Amino acid sequence: MLEKIITLIAAWIMSVISTMGYGGIVLLMAIESACIPLPSEIIMPFAGFLIFKGEMSLWLVALAGATGCVLGSIPAYYVGMFGGRPLAEKYGKYILLSKKDLDLADHLFDKHGEIIIFIARMLPAVRTFIAFPAGVVRMNMTKFILYAFVGSFIWCGLLAYAGMKFGENWGSLKVYFHEF
């Protein structure tokens, strides 16, 4: 059942990017960064495959991905700022956000401070939810956007680069995307 859902999500992601191009990457990465678990691990490598085919540019793909990440993170930041932890604990289950996820994000933010935004934007799963605790602690918005953008640019660029390098083997990578 889960495999079928992932296959449908992957097909939808590929359709959005194929239809909308860079704008589709911005949209999908914004959704992923708004605490909605849409896998950047499929979005960006597929964009990389399109780079391999000569349909996109690596720099523009990374820029589109990072832009989408920042745009999606801003609402999550404000939800954290105005709703706080009680809101996330009450409704987080609807977007697959567990108390354990919140505890991890809080712990990382408390332990490492604002730089964790930069680091977390390059970590699977954590990257999706890190904007929320930044809002809870009312991190400076300019720093938040800067750290989120730079970390996301690196993450998106690396995933797109991997997709570009594995381009000719795209079909054989399908099984690894399901596992990831």
Side-chain angles (χ1 to χ4, degrees):
M1 176 67 171
L2 183 59
E3 184 176 336
K4 190 173 187 172
I5 292 170
I6 292 171
T7 301
L8 290 171
I9 290 171
W12 178 72
I13 287 169
M14 291 176 201
S15 173
V16 168
I17 296 172
S18 295
T19 303
M20 297 178 64
Y22 296 109
I25 296 168
V26 171
L27 173 67
L28 294 170
M29 292 304 288
I31 292 169
E32 183 259 355
S33 293
C35 298
I36 299 170
L38 193 62
S40 60
E41 296 83 359
I42 296 174
I43 298 166
M44 297 311 299
F46 178 69
F49 172 68
L50 296 177
I51 296 166
F52 166 77
K53 289 178 54 180
E55 297 177 21
M56 292 187 155
S57 154
L58 178 60
W59 293 106
L60 292 177
V61 163
L63 180 63
T67 300
C69 288
V70 169
L71 292 174
S73 293
I74 292 171
Y77 173 96
Y78 281 114
V79 168
M81 185 174 168
F82 294 114
R85 177 100 185 207
L87 180 70
E89 288 179 356
K90 185 173 182 179
Y91 296 107
K93 63 185 173 193
Y94 297 111
I95 56 169
L96 306 178
L97 179 61
S98 70
K99 184 179 181 322
K100 184 179 175 184
D101 297 327
L102 291 169
D103 290 342
L104 175 61
D106 286 344
H107 170 74
L108 290 172
F109 202 91
D110 289 342
K111 184 175 179 180
H112 301 287
E114 295 174 341
I115 195 68
I116 197 60
I117 298 300
F118 168 74
I119 295 165
R121 293 308 299 174
M122 295 180 281
L123 298 174
V126 175
R127 61 177 273 96
T128 303
F129 304 107
I130 197 64
F132 182 84
V136 170
V137 300
R138 290 174 163 65
M139 179 180 174
N140 174 281
M141 181 58 83
T142 302
K143 284 184 183 179
F144 171 74
I145 289 173
L146 178 65
Y147 288 152
F149 180 83
V150 174
S152 296
F153 186 85
I154 293 167
W155 174 257
C156 292
L158 289 173
L159 287 177
Y161 182 78
M164 180 182 78
K165 285 299 179 186
F166 291 114
E168 64 188 31
N169 300 313
W170 184 256
S172 63
L173 295 175
K174 186 177 176 181
V175 67
Y176 299 108
F177 286 121
H178 284 289
E179 287 180 26
F180 198 69

